[in-house]
Amino acid sequence: MYAQMVKSEGMKSAEEMTPEERAFQNRIDRNEKIEPKEWMPEGYRKTLIRQIGQHAHSEIVGQLPEGNWITRAPTLERKAILLAKVQDEAGHGLYLYSAAETLGVSRDELMEKLHSGAMKYSSIFNYPTLTWADMGAVGWLVDGAAIMNQVPLQRTSYGPYSRAMIRICKEESFHQRQGYAIMMKMAQGTPEQKEMAQDALNRFWYPALMMFGPSDKDSVHSAQSMAWKIKMNTNDELRQKFVDETVPQAEYLGLTVPDETLRWNEERGHYDFAEPDWNEFFEVIKGNGPCNRERLEARRTAWEEGRWFREGLMAYAEKSAARRKAAPHAAE
Amino acid sequence: MPSLPDMTTPDVVALAERAAASQPHDPHLEDVDLRPAFFDWLCRMGDNTLILGHRISEWCGHGPVLEEDIALANTALDLIGHTQMWLGLAAEVEGEGRTADDLAFLRDAMRFRNLQLLELPNRDMAVTLMREFLFDAWHFEMLTALCGSQSPRVAEIAAKALKEVSYHLERSSDLIVRLGDGSEESHRRMQDALDRLWPYLGEMFVEDAVDKAVAEAGIAPRPADLRGAWEQTVNEVLEEATLASPDTRMDVHQGGKQGRHTEHLGYILAEMQFLQRAYPGASW
Ligand SMILES: [Fe+2]
Ligand SMILES: [Fe+2]
Ligand SMILES: [Fe+2]
């Protein structure tokens, strides 16, 4: 899940709503899609900008931990697959910034907010990728967790967001499969490869669980977002679903989930599992994760060092517009 | 973008063998006298795309604008795809049981056959794009000529690669024009990049015994024959970009095609080959 702890508004009861707000809520309850030009409560718009923006930032910061291994990929085929995946993530960023633009915020504004630290990206991308097995773990667990959240978001109430999710979900399942394929090779490989695979699972398990955000009892922003169908499931529901699907996959790989309390609960029909260390989560959100500084620095540097490039293209566009004006028929 | 292999297919090797069996018959593959030159020449093609693909892939996630991140990753992906085809054929011609991966990951620098131009560091986007453009213009002419190769296997690869390289050239030419004729700073950076790369360009057109042998076998054009069309493309684009071709020598630095490289290639290989070297025989 690439949007964590997105600040929403206090939930209004039907009596507190204006007639416009009530009509709006009725449309959402009837599963109608809200389109850019239509009336929407200011809180809905703001919450969506925060959520879509955070999601977009996660896609582009998310290029970094995997980009870290492209030049070291062990075969030409793995290199091609990883390149294709990272390229997809940049594409996801593009769809999402475009969806946010329909709400009246430009990509540059959102970028500035990312660079100043005013907007966040998913905590998961502040963890390092240390071995090749991490390319497996990231695809399997991180893209896997993202899918849990993004599949229901295909039905979200805001039209452009919903359509972006539909495009994105098609590619995410390929991302998860390629990650799992890497894990499979490693888990069935040499003792060193198997050790790397287990180590990657050990390091990424709890950070992956954190991707769904804090426990429902501590999640203050959920109710309004769920009423608006910006958020489709609670954090705990999605986390449980993720654990239930992932544990058998780990078993199939012959790897051990690093949780001694993990067991199937016959009565609930779900796995019981240990919560991640929420102190660690809040520290990472605050900027104290292993890679926060480096990730943000990499993005800022790319932006700063790319300034001349963007300005050069703009200067050319202005010049050629002026030339067209001076000689309107010359180019035809 | 080349389509990715279907990962649910259990036996990729069997699939590859079936594909190889359905290849058109190519007598050049059985010509024992031609073999060393043919192998070397195929390595040149594959090493060019591998090393340039590596350099471009270093930009992943660090581009100046999101559209550029996507385009650079896509270009690198295309080039790695071409590498798989050229080095795959090289391994087949060699007939020693090596694979494209063996050639990419287990040869040392003196066995690499890429142009020196392609291993130079990226520095900024100006050098990266100028290098790509100067190579694309050559690559386009080379592949166009190879589409008429008397080796059906070479012609087949060239035809596949040409589609993508036509697009690479279109994109890089467009950016050279816009940045050259852009702001003062973008103009200066593009001119500096051109001046820096200029002394490496001559290597593309120098002929040695390998080039001569494959040309005489009707496999590839003579390097010098590509020069006229390359110059025309480059001059047109540079002129529109308001950039000046230096009047200095183009053939100062060469030797990559014979395995004599700059200091930079060793570091590329140290990084690229790390896993295969650290865990010999492992499968990934
Ligand atoms: Fe994504
Ligand atoms: Fe993904
Ligand atoms: Fe492509």
Side-chain angles (χ1 to χ4, degrees):
Chain A
M1 176 164 183
Y2 289 164
Q4 297 157 322
M5 305 184 66
V6 174
K7 209 166 129 247
S8 180
E9 314 296 311
M11 176 81 171
K12 279 188 183 173
S13 67
E15 296 80 61
E16 290 168 317
M17 286 183 197
T18 65
E20 258 174 329
E21 287 170 343
R22 215 169 306 143
F24 179 82
Q25 187 62 51
N26 287 339
R27 291 189 60 196
I28 289 187
D29 293 343
R30 288 195 301 269
N31 287 326
E32 282 177 33
K33 291 276 179 268
I34 309 301
E35 294 300 334
K37 295 271 149 56
E38 297 170 344
W39 185 86
M40 59 186 79
E42 199 44 26
Y44 177 84
R45 201 179 64 85
K46 281 193 178 146
T47 308
L48 266 176
I49 288 176
R50 281 193 288 259
Q51 179 166 327
I52 299 174
Q54 196 182 107
H55 191 161
H57 297 330
S58 300
E59 300 283 355
I60 60 160
V61 177
Q63 293 179 92
L64 298 172
E66 288 181 292
N68 183 36
W69 279 89
I70 289 174
T71 55
R72 289 177 291 170
T75 68
L76 294 170
E77 175 130 14
R78 290 283 174 220
K79 197 188 282 288
I81 292 172
L82 190 57
L83 269 165
K85 179 185 191 277
V86 176
Q87 183 194 356
D88 283 350
E89 304 301 5
H92 298 173
L94 202 57
Y95 306 155
L96 287 160
Y97 286 122
S98 305
E101 273 174 345
T102 64
L103 293 159
V105 59
S106 73
R107 198 206 301 181
D108 284 6
E109 280 172 77
L110 290 172
M111 289 275 185
E112 296 295 349
K113 284 191 171 155
L114 168 67
H115 298 152
S116 72
M119 282 182 91
K120 302 278 183 224
Y121 53 88
S122 177
S123 57
I124 192 72
F125 300 118
N126 292 312
Y127 290 86
T129 53
L130 302 177
T131 73
W132 175 251
D134 291 14
M135 295 304 96
V138 168
W140 172 35
L141 301 173
V142 175
D143 290 85
I147 290 170
M148 287 292 153
N149 179 48
Q150 290 172 7
V151 165
L153 275 177
Q154 294 179 98
R155 291 179 286 110
T156 187
S157 61
Y158 188 56
Y161 192 24
S162 154
R163 290 188 287 275
M165 279 305 144
I166 291 168
R167 292 177 75 177
I168 288 174
C169 280
K170 283 199 190 116
E171 294 172 343
E172 291 299 352
S173 69
F174 149 67
H175 296 175
Q176 192 187 20
R177 273 188 296 130
Q178 68 85 34
Y180 197 70
I182 291 175
M183 280 317 252
M184 192 101 91
K185 274 278 184 195
M186 301 292 280
Q188 294 168 353
T190 65
E192 291 103 329
Q193 285 176 304
K194 190 158 185 186
E195 185 187 351
M196 286 187 244
Q198 182 62 54
D199 178 59
L201 175 57
N202 292 350
R203 283 182 288 108
F204 277 97
W205 175 254
Y206 288 106
L209 295 186
M210 292 175 198
M211 287 175 69
F212 299 96
S215 166
D216 293 345
K217 56 185 190 299
D218 306 314
S219 189
V220 283
H221 309 300
S222 284
Q224 180 62 75
S225 285
M226 288 187 72
W228 277 335
K229 295 190 183 156
I230 290 174
K231 195 178 164 85
M232 308 300 286
N233 304 83
T234 73
N235 298 349
D236 286 336
E237 273 167 25
L238 291 171
R239 191 169 10 250
Q240 181 72 62
K241 193 160 183 272
F242 174 75
V243 171
D244 290 348
E245 277 190 25
T246 308
V247 169
Q249 294 168 351
E251 277 167 7
Y252 186 76
L253 291 171
L255 299 177
T256 310
V257 173
D259 175 359
E260 283 171 11
T261 68
L262 184 81
R263 55 185 49 83
W264 179 252
N265 183 324
E266 196 63 55
E267 223 166 283
R268 293 202 306 124
H270 291 292
Y271 282 95
D272 292 336
F273 61 95
E275 294 267 310
D277 175 357
W278 291 113
N279 289 328
E280 176 181 321
F281 172 74
F282 289 112
E283 282 304 310
V284 174
I285 293 279
K286 263 191 269 172
N288 298 326
C291 299
N292 294 58
R293 183 183 289 265
E294 285 165 55
R295 298 288 187 245
L296 209 49
E297 229 162 50
R299 288 309 311 169
R300 280 198 203 117
T301 306
W303 190 248
E304 287 307 318
E305 289 182 356
R307 188 178 302 281
W308 71 266
F309 177 93
R310 298 188 301 275
E311 286 173 356
L313 294 186
M314 243 142 64
Y316 178 80
E318 280 160 24
K319 275 192 215 175
S320 39
R323 280 194 286 251
R324 272 197 302 276
K325 224 171 165 186
H329 305 295
E332 306 308 314
Chain B
M1 186 163 82
S3 68
L4 285 157
D6 182 356
M7 278 170 307
T8 57
T9 305
D11 197 351
V12 184
V13 178
L15 262 188
E17 274 166 10
R18 229 182 306 151
S22 70
Q23 291 291 350
H25 178 72
D26 189 339
H28 295 95
L29 267 64
E30 286 133 37
D31 184 339
V32 180
D33 295 334
L34 184 63
R35 186 169 292 165
F38 194 13
F39 172 74
D40 234 47
W41 180 84
L42 287 164
C43 287
R44 290 177 184 182
M45 293 302 292
D47 291 346
N48 280 342
T49 53
L50 176 57
I51 298 303
L52 181 60
H54 180 100
R55 279 299 188 214
I56 292 177
S57 77
E58 291 174 347
W59 278 100
C60 241
H62 305 277
V65 66
L66 200 42
E67 284 81 353
E68 221 33 50
D69 270 328
I70 296 172
L72 289 163
N74 190 49
T75 305
L77 178 58
D78 289 343
L79 292 170
I80 298 305
H82 305 167
T83 306
Q84 288 176 291
M85 297 191 283
W86 290 124
L87 293 186
L89 184 55
E92 213 179 309
V93 165
E94 186 191 41
E96 303 278 336
R98 291 204 280 183
T99 63
D101 280 337
D102 292 337
L103 294 177
F105 295 97
L106 298 173
R107 277 177 304 156
D108 200 351
M110 56 192 289
R111 301 264 178 266
F112 265 73
R113 296 289 181 258
N114 60 283
L115 301 167
Q116 287 190 359
L117 170 74
L118 305 177
E119 69 206 39
L120 301 175
N122 286 330
R123 295 179 173 270
D124 60 0
M125 273 303 276
V127 172
T128 303
L129 285 171
M130 185 58 80
R131 182 233 314 268
E132 200 206 310
F133 163 67
L134 295 165
F135 177 74
D136 287 347
W138 176 87
H139 203 191
F140 177 83
E141 298 305 332
M142 181 57 139
L143 293 173
T144 303
L146 291 178
C147 285
S149 170
Q150 285 176 27
S151 158
R153 296 289 300 281
V154 166
E156 189 188 18
I157 295 175
K160 281 187 198 156
L162 183 59
K163 282 189 206 125
E164 289 166 338
V165 169
S166 308
Y167 175 68
H168 298 174
L169 177 60
E170 202 181 300
R171 194 187 85 86
S172 62
S173 305
D174 177 60
L175 281 168
I176 299 302
V177 168
R178 292 199 280 155
L179 292 167
D181 189 18
S183 68
E184 226 169 275
E185 184 179 0
S186 73
H187 176 84
R188 177 180 55 74
R189 284 183 187 252
M190 296 311 281
Q191 186 65 55
D192 287 351
L194 181 61
D195 296 348
R196 172 183 289 277
L197 299 171
W198 197 257
Y200 292 88
L201 300 178
E203 188 177 8
M204 300 193 282
F205 308 108
V206 178
E207 178 173 304
D208 67 2
V210 168
D211 295 310
K212 191 158 175 274
V214 289
E216 277 166 3
I219 294 173
R222 309 201 91 103
D225 290 348
L226 303 175
R227 187 162 184 156
W230 178 86
E231 271 178 356
Q232 197 183 335
T233 307
V234 168
N235 289 340
E236 273 170 22
V237 170
L238 292 182
E239 195 188 314
E240 208 189 329
T242 70
L243 297 169
S245 352
D247 50 13
T248 49
R249 279 175 51 198
M250 263 182 18
D251 60 350
V252 181
H253 304 294
Q254 44 178 303
K257 282 161 67 166
Q258 293 83 29
R260 186 81 52 84
H261 291 278
T262 66
E263 289 180 346
H264 306 293
L265 184 66
Y267 291 95
I268 292 182
L269 299 185
E271 189 172 337
M272 186 173 84
Q273 300 180 337
F274 152 65
L275 282 169
Q276 291 274 0
R277 299 286 190 184
Y279 304 99
S283 127
W284 305 92

